[in-house]
């Protein structure tokens, strides 16, 4: 199993942060971004265990019994695990989608619809969504059967925003409405370094800037819709996590 415990966290209940396609080199930055309170679990591959196994892992390895807030982080193809969890009915308090909102070519409606609905909830303040993209569009010109829609194209389709300009890593152009944020980063049409920077720099920076205050107790526990959720029956937990939190 590629799952690892980045941080046990403190207190009961506590927030749970799940990060996908995030390697161990980033663990110190994740701990620094979120502070000592949340339980943080990461997976260094894009595809893997879904919510039941993720929760059981946190329970067995970190003693997590109650969840006061849930954050889902995906980098690159790890965003597809976030999408799969959403499609399975899991609803988080906060999302970070780092240069990974790809879709097939041409995009299928369901690949846009889930993100459009998520963006709508964020605009209304029901959840936090932070999405980033570079300007790497070469993926749309790959040979037939290998091409896929770029992250910027999918975000345009899901948000309705133009997103036709971008800035460097230290000065990205930011578009936001309510609790929906899109960070546009400049890059070449083919730019592996810019994509790698999304993991090494952008994920911890935006986690600290946005996600931390949405998932940390006691603030989150005080604002959350309903009581904290006991980690006893996995099916019930996933269902309860699907309830939207109050606007912040």
């Amino acid at each position: 199993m590629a799952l690892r415990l980045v941080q046990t966290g403190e207190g009961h209940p506590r927030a749970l942060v799940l990060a996908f396609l995030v390697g161990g080199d980033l663990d110190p930055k994740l701990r620094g971004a979120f502070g000592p309170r949340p339980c943080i679990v990461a997976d260094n591959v894009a595809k893997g265990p879904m919510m039941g196994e993720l929760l059981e892992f946190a329970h067995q390895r970190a003693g997590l019994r109650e969840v006061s807030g849930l954050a889902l982080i995906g980098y690159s193809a790890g965003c597809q695990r976030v999408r799969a969890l959403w499609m399975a009915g899991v609803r988080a308090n906060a999302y970070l989608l780092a240069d990974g909102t790809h879709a097939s070519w041409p995009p299928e409606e369901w690949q846009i619809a889930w993100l459009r609905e998520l963006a709508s909830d964020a605009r209304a303040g029901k959840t936090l969504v932070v999405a980033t993209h570079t300007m790497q569009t070469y993926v749309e010109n790959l040979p037939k059967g290998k091409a896929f829609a770029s992250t910027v194209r999918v975000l345009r389709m899901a948000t309705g925003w133009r997103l036709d300009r971008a800035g460097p890593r230290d000065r990205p152009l930011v578009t936001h409405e309510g609790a929906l944020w899109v960070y546009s980063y400049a890059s070449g049409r083919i730019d592996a370094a810019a994509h790698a920077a999304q993991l090494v720099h952008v994920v911890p920076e935006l986690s600290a800037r946005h996600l931390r205050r949405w998932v940390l107790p006691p603030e989150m526990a005080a604002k959350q819709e309903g009581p904290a959720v006991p980690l006893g029956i996995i099916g019930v937990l996933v269902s309860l996590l699907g309830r939207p939190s109050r606007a912040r």
Side-chain angles (χ1 to χ4, degrees), residues 162-198:
R162 291 178 61 178
L163 305 177
D164 54 355
R165 296 184 301 134
R169 186 184 67 79
D170 57 343
R171 296 188 306 277
L173 293 185
V174 182
T175 309
H176 103 276
E177 181 181 353
L180 174 64
W181 298 76
V182 175
Y183 283 73
S184 300
Y185 293 85
S187 73
R189 193 176 69 87
I190 302 177
D191 198 332
H195 185 58
Q198 292 283 302

Side-chain angles (χ1 to χ4, degrees), residues 67-70 86 89-95 121 125-127 214 220 223-230 235-248:
V67 177
S68 60
L70 175 66
W86 192 94
V90 176
R91 299 293 183 266
N93 300 94
Y95 298 81
D121 285 345
K126 296 177 181 178
T127 188
W214 274 71
M220 175 58 69
K223 295 180 179 180
Q224 188 179 8
E225 183 90 33
V229 183
V236 173
L237 176 61
V238 172
S239 174
L240 288 174
L241 284 174
R243 299 190 311 191
S245 56
R246 291 177 182 170
R248 291 160 181 79

Side-chain angles (χ1 to χ4, degrees), residues 37-99:
R37 297 296 301 276
C39 175
I40 306 175
V41 174
D43 201 339
N44 62 5
V45 296
K47 296 181 179 180
M50 295 295 284
M51 201 63 194
E53 291 182 66
L54 293 166
L55 293 169
E56 184 60 25
F57 181 87
H59 178 54
Q60 294 295 331
R61 296 290 301 276
L64 185 64
R65 300 193 303 271
E66 295 179 299
V67 177
S68 60
L70 175 66
L72 298 179
I73 298 172
Y75 163 66
S76 191
C79 292
Q80 295 181 22
R81 181 101 67 99
V82 177
R83 183 178 69 186
L85 288 167
W86 192 94
M87 298 292 291
V90 176
R91 299 293 183 266
N93 300 94
Y95 298 81
L96 174 54
L97 307 172
D99 205 23

Side-chain angles (χ1 to χ4, degrees), residues 81-232:
R81 181 101 67 99
V82 177
R83 183 178 69 186
L85 288 167
W86 192 94
M87 298 292 291
V90 176
R91 299 293 183 266
N93 300 94
Y95 298 81
L96 174 54
L97 307 172
D99 205 23
T101 53
H102 301 97
S104 59
W105 186 255
E108 297 184 31
E109 173 56 25
W110 69 269
Q111 295 172 323
I112 307 300
W114 84 277
L115 194 53
R116 185 182 295 124
E117 184 173 341
L118 191 58
S120 178
D121 285 345
R123 282 185 165 110
K126 296 177 181 178
T127 188
L128 171 71
V129 175
V130 181
T132 77
H133 68 85
T134 57
M135 304 302 287
Q136 297 187 84
T137 56
Y138 79 97
V139 296
E140 298 177 356
N141 301 116
L142 293 172
K144 185 177 181 179
K146 296 183 179 180
F148 51 96
S150 63
T151 57
V152 62
R153 180 181 296 275
V154 172
L155 286 174
R156 285 170 182 156
M157 296 175 71
T159 64
W161 290 335
R162 291 178 61 178
L163 305 177
D164 54 355
R165 296 184 301 134
R169 186 184 67 79
D170 57 343
R171 296 188 306 277
L173 293 185
V174 182
T175 309
H176 103 276
E177 181 181 353
L180 174 64
W181 298 76
V182 175
Y183 283 73
S184 300
Y185 293 85
S187 73
R189 193 176 69 87
I190 302 177
D191 198 332
H195 185 58
Q198 292 283 302
L199 174 64
V200 177
H201 300 292
V202 173
V203 165
E205 286 173 3
L206 297 188
S207 292
R209 186 178 305 167
H210 292 289
L211 273 68
R212 178 172 176 157
R213 69 184 182 88
W214 274 71
V215 299
L216 273 180
E219 292 84 0
M220 175 58 69
K223 295 180 179 180
Q224 188 179 8
E225 183 90 33
V229 183
L231 189 65

